[in-house]
Amino acid sequence: QVQLVESGGGLVQPGGSLRLSCVVSGFTLDRYAIGWFRQVPGKEREGVSCFSSSDGYTYFTDSVKGRFTMSRDNSENTVYLQMDNLKPEDAAVYYCAAAGEVCYSDEGQYDLWGQGTQVTVSS
């Protein structure tokens, strides 16, 4: 069964950290680009970061550069999003998604999506 499952969300104070996990099954990471997106109710979904298997490069949206990092464990078929120095504006439901080997800014190019995990940043 092809699926992505996120976990690791929760409540954290501003300045705190969380690590999100995206476990994929039914396909191998080395042939796909994995992106992280987030969505706040009433707003469009926003691309946060993406790892491209074609060039090995990781892309980040400007608002999270220097605070978020992506990593992956191919043996565990898991992608991680480490989020440090979290801000209230980072609160959202976070999704991981898979596309072809390259990253796309258009979320419509991502064929597979997880169910999302809630991140709340509040004191």
Side-chain angles (χ1 to χ4, degrees), residues 26-84:
F27 63 97
T28 56
L29 285 176
D30 59 354
R31 293 182 177 272
Y32 286 82
I34 301 295
W36 284 98
F37 295 79
R38 64 187 180 187
Q39 188 170 27
V40 175
K43 294 188 177 181
E44 292 187 355
R45 191 151 49 190
E46 173 192 24
V48 175
S49 65
C50 181
F51 176 84
S52 171
S53 61
S54 65
D55 58 15
Y57 194 77
T58 305
Y59 300 87
F60 295 94
T61 191
D62 287 344
S63 63
V64 306
K65 285 180 181 177
R67 301 188 298 120
F68 289 14
T69 56
M70 275 188 74
S71 62
R72 67 179 190 175
D73 184 337
N74 286 350
S75 67
E76 296 292 332
N77 253 9
T78 302
V79 176
Y80 302 98
L81 181 67
Q82 176 68 41
M83 306 186 296
D84 298 320

Side-chain angles (χ1 to χ4, degrees), residues 89-103:
E89 53 264 39
D90 294 317
V93 177
Y94 282 72
Y95 301 88
C96 62
E101 293 185 349
V102 299
C103 292

